[in-house]
Amino acid sequence: MVATVPTGIDGLDSILNGGLVENATVLVSGNPGTGKSLFGIQYLYDGVTTHDEHGIYISFEENEEDIRQAAESIGFDRWGDLVDEGAIKVYDKQHMLREGDFSSALDTLMEDFANTSYDRLVLDSLTMFSLFFEDEKEKRTYLLKFSDILKQNGLTSLLINEQGAVFPETEIGLENFLTDGNIYFIQTPTDSGVNRYVWVAKMRKQDIDTDIFPMEIAEGGIKVYERAGGFSMMGRDGPDAGF
């Protein structure tokens, strides 16, 4: 049996046969507003509150207060307390961008990893991460190094990746080769809002269901529905997905 780390998301863990493969690095892609960052927040929150697994959230896009408000907006009221207690460590954009270059930021993270044990990590996002580098070669070098560091420290990690297209882009970048799994968040417009879906395209060492499943964001976080028959990719035939 492959050891897994539950995501804490109803339906998704069943699709994944228990959760993410332990010590895996998983790419989470989608266009803005699909729920990727909330997925990362929920993953860390459930890790602490349900499994006593400490987490680290690295954001190049939001400050710590914005992240806290996002967590509280879907019912994760203890987020701020967990951060204050050190169960969840947040490196926000003010901290990460202050370093000026990724080498300095990486040194800060390495020092933290040496002094504190974490189980889960979320990086939000690879799009902003790329701004540290002058060319593609430098980006690839540091991405390889960073991926190795995550595994060496026993972290099961989510790397969030912004995409402009509504549907998953078919180009295979370096990120896809470096990661152990690919999860896509999709939303399609309707007359009354949007429908949301999740697609687990790849998960090494796991026999997964690669269908596209409907999901919603509501109080209590993200929920994924394994029974997809009542939903349409272009219609709004299932539960309210526009929260």
Side-chain angles (χ1 to χ4, degrees):
M1 290 288 291
V2 175
T4 57
V5 175
T7 66
I9 293 178
D10 292 343
L12 182 58
D13 285 331
S14 178
I15 294 167
L16 291 167
N17 287 315
L20 308 176
V21 174
E22 189 175 44
N23 203 29
T25 301
V26 177
L27 187 66
V28 180
S29 302
N31 60 313
T34 50
K36 302 182 302 299
S37 296
L38 290 178
F39 176 30
I41 288 171
Q42 187 165 346
Y43 172 62
L44 296 186
Y45 191 83
D46 183 74
V48 176
T49 57
T50 305
H51 305 284
D52 195 27
E53 294 183 352
H54 287 201
I56 180 168
Y57 193 102
I58 303 169
S59 176
F60 294 105
E61 300 191 5
E62 304 288 348
N63 61 43
E64 187 171 336
E65 177 63 17
D66 292 333
I67 298 166
R68 182 187 65 79
Q69 290 179 1
E72 292 179 351
S73 72
I74 53 173
F76 300 150
D77 297 333
R78 293 182 55 201
W79 177 272
D81 292 336
L82 295 175
V83 172
D84 292 341
E85 294 164 7
I88 297 174
K89 181 66 174 285
V90 174
Y91 284 99
D92 65 7
K93 68 176 183 180
Q94 294 178 336
H95 191 113
M96 297 305 294
L97 298 179
R98 184 173 67 234
E99 301 291 347
D101 64 86
F102 192 69
S103 181
S104 298
L106 193 56
D107 288 342
T108 299
L109 293 174
M110 288 292 290
E111 183 178 353
D112 195 349
F113 292 160
N115 296 316
T116 307
S117 177
Y118 299 103
D119 304 287
R120 305 180 179 211
L121 178 141
V122 174
L123 173 69
D124 188 3
S125 68
L126 284 177
T127 308
M128 294 297 293
F129 167 92
S130 300
L131 298 181
F132 276 107
F133 312 110
E134 294 183 359
D135 55 51
E136 188 68 19
K137 181 179 179 181
E138 186 181 28
K139 173 191 169 183
R140 291 185 177 197
T141 299
Y142 273 101
L143 189 55
L144 279 165
K145 183 177 181 179
F146 185 60
S147 181
D148 287 342
I149 288 170
L150 297 180
K151 291 183 179 295
Q152 289 165 9
N153 284 274
L155 289 157
T156 306
S157 307
L158 301 179
L159 306 184
I160 294 173
N161 183 40
E162 293 284 353
Q163 292 190 334
V166 172
F167 290 96
E169 295 176 359
T170 56
E171 292 183 7
I172 305 298
L174 177 69
E175 297 87 351
N176 298 76
F177 289 109
L178 284 180
T179 52
D180 303 293
N182 291 348
I183 299 176
Y184 293 93
F185 281 65
I186 305 164
Q187 63 181 8
T188 60
T190 71
D191 292 339
S192 54
V194 295
N195 278 353
R196 304 179 191 273
Y197 304 86
V198 63
W199 174 37
V200 182
K202 180 184 80 173
M203 195 65 61
R204 289 176 186 161
K205 303 179 183 178
Q206 284 280 65
D207 181 18
I208 58 169
D209 192 331
T210 57
D211 282 344
I212 296 176
F213 293 91
M215 57 165 271
E216 65 174 346
I217 302 172
E219 183 74 13
I222 295 170
K223 295 179 176 61
V224 174
Y225 294 89
E226 295 178 75
R227 295 177 178 270
F231 285 76
S232 163
M233 284 291 288
M234 297 304 295
R236 193 180 182 85
D237 303 319
D240 182 8
F243 180 88

